[in-house]
Amino acid sequence: MIFKLRLQDHAQKDMEAIKARHFSPEDKITAGYLVGVAVEHLPALDDPRWDSAVEEITRRERRSTSKSTSLSLRQGIYDQLLLTQSNLQKKYHKPFSLPQVIHMVLALAAGQAPQKNPPAFRTLSVLEWNINGRSGTCGYVIPVTLIANELLTIKPHFFVLTEFVPSAGWSDLKSLLEQDYQLFLSPYRPHRNGVCIGIRRERDIQVLSAGDLLGQEEGDDLPDYYEVSLQIGSLNLSLAGTRIIIDCKKARDKAQAVRRQEQAQRFAQFRHLARRLSTLDHVIALGDFNNSRILGDAQELDPAAIDRIYRDKDSLEHNFQKMRHYLDQMSNGRLSLCTPEGDLSSVGAHWESKTGNGKPPAKDPDRRHKYDHLITNLVPERVEYRWDFLNYYGRDQFSSQHGGVSEGFPDHAILLAALSLPPKC
């Protein structure tokens, strides 16, 4: 039996997940056959996952795009879909179209319908750290012991490492972390930084998929980006790691017009990022946004006031307040750009010759170099910068030329946040 219907984009992703679970990548499997596989793996009607699937279908339809798809179904599969449709209508006392039933069936088979069992924890701890991989140049070697010690001491539920390059030391770091974390890497690109994401191995955290889902555009206006789709209880959550890329040559040009053009390129990357995140249901995005120092009121959202604050600066085109305003507009106020309160910067560690110790940047209201931030629609309980790892730095970790952290050693603060899970997940 062949018929046409409009399948939503999330249904296409569910079919990809079903194919990956049951078949080899080279197998040529039709959409109709995948629907048949999903029907054959349906849970009983009293399974609580149906409750979640029914709750999800209307919300997903509001946010999804769709395209016309032809399905060739065996008669037995078609009959089972009609029976499921009838049983669902009796159970929930509401009508369901056949496409809606197919969407629910695919979601359940792909494992993407949220579970009703609440997680054992109510607060998520998340960590982001720019580890200064510098695109893998200059014989970069990952400081394995330092990074592993910090991550395994703090033990966040999720971590994101930016400026990450799977260079020398990666196999050792991986072996130390993978007992406690599932690890995901953005695709390797020569002479480019990437993203490493870790998901703590927890009974209540299920990884659904992972990928570079920002789009297919080519050019300099895409940031480093990687995304993992998760399920925690009944919550579908997207965790993303990102870094806005700098064109260093333009950023150092003598002409302000060229430097501002480079800042505009950074903001173009942020627009791509904000548009992607605004399509997701629940979001945690962590990264280095390379927005220069924050001037004026960090909470300012009026575009005219923001332009006045940065009027004579290169960062007129890309700054913290401008990012907050764009994200607020793009997500209709649903997503927030969060950064630690106070005057502690996320860059600027230095060597103090008097004490012989590495020191974090001084707290200075006029020099708030906060580059590492969090985007989310969950409720932050705490967001802070940590410089404790400097206690392990000696003089060898600092450059004698400029006094800052040497190439290859993490030179950003660790961003650590605690986020409240929604009450009903």
Side-chain angles (χ1 to χ4, degrees), residues 387-407:
W387 285 101
D388 297 356
F389 63 91
L390 291 178
N391 295 332
Y392 300 100
Y393 279 18
R395 189 67 183 88
D396 292 343
Q397 280 74 40
F398 285 85
S399 168
S400 58
Q401 295 180 348
H402 56 75
V405 177
S406 298
E407 292 183 3

Side-chain angles (χ1 to χ4, degrees), residues 59-224:
R59 182 175 60 82
R60 280 187 165 189
E61 286 178 338
R62 287 198 300 266
R63 295 183 177 275
S64 296
T65 57
S66 62
K67 67 177 182 179
S68 180
T69 305
S70 294
L71 290 181
S72 177
L73 299 176
R74 302 193 306 273
Q75 186 65 48
I77 295 298
Y78 180 70
D79 292 342
Q80 185 61 43
L81 284 171
L82 293 179
L83 178 61
T84 301
Q85 179 186 31
S86 175
N87 289 338
L88 286 172
Q89 290 175 162
K90 290 177 183 176
K91 178 179 179 180
Y92 294 101
H93 307 291
K94 59 189 294 187
F96 294 99
S97 67
L98 194 58
Q100 285 179 316
V101 174
I102 291 174
H103 287 140
M104 286 188 281
V105 166
L106 289 170
L108 286 167
Q112 293 185 5
Q115 305 294 318
K116 282 295 186 180
N117 298 326
F121 50 86
R122 301 308 307 169
T123 300
L124 280 175
S125 58
V126 298
L127 178 153
E128 182 268 341
W129 196 7
N130 181 322
I131 59 169
N132 200 22
R134 304 229 178 167
S135 303
T137 57
C138 305
Y140 171 65
V141 177
I142 298 173
V144 173
T145 303
L146 171 71
I147 294 173
N149 281 348
E150 291 301 305
L151 295 178
L152 296 178
T153 299
I154 298 173
K155 292 184 178 178
H157 290 98
F158 311 140
F159 68 75
V160 168
L161 303 180
T162 59
E163 271 199 55
F164 182 86
V165 181
S167 185
W170 165 233
S171 60
D172 293 329
L173 181 62
K174 182 180 178 182
S175 67
L176 290 171
L177 296 178
E178 63 185 356
Q179 182 174 346
D180 297 305
Y181 287 91
Q182 297 182 66
L183 301 174
F184 301 87
L185 296 182
S186 58
Y188 175 74
R189 292 172 292 178
H191 312 300
R192 285 284 300 271
N193 293 305
V195 176
C196 175
I197 293 178
I199 310 297
R200 199 166 81 191
R201 297 184 186 277
E202 292 270 358
R203 177 180 57 83
D204 296 314
I205 300 176
Q206 179 186 0
V207 175
L208 303 177
S209 61
D212 180 357
L213 303 174
L214 208 55
Q216 300 299 317
E217 297 93 340
E218 297 291 337
D220 296 330
D221 58 351
L222 289 178
D224 298 331

Side-chain angles (χ1 to χ4, degrees), residues 270-281:
F270 181 79
R271 289 199 301 267
H272 278 293
L273 174 68
R275 285 197 289 268
R276 169 61 188 170
L277 298 180
S278 296
T279 67
L280 304 174
D281 293 329

Side-chain angles (χ1 to χ4, degrees), residues 7 10-25 27 29-42 60 101-113 208-209:
L7 277 184
H10 63 77
Q12 300 288 344
K13 294 178 182 177
D14 291 343
M15 286 194 289
E16 292 172 6
I18 296 168
K19 181 181 177 181
R21 183 175 300 165
H22 295 280
F23 304 97
S24 299
D27 291 339
I29 309 296
T30 65
Y33 194 87
L34 291 172
V35 171
V37 171
V39 169
E40 292 170 352
H41 289 81
L42 280 181
R60 280 187 165 189
V101 174
I102 291 174
H103 287 140
M104 286 188 281
V105 166
L106 289 170
L108 286 167
Q112 293 185 5
L208 303 177
S209 61

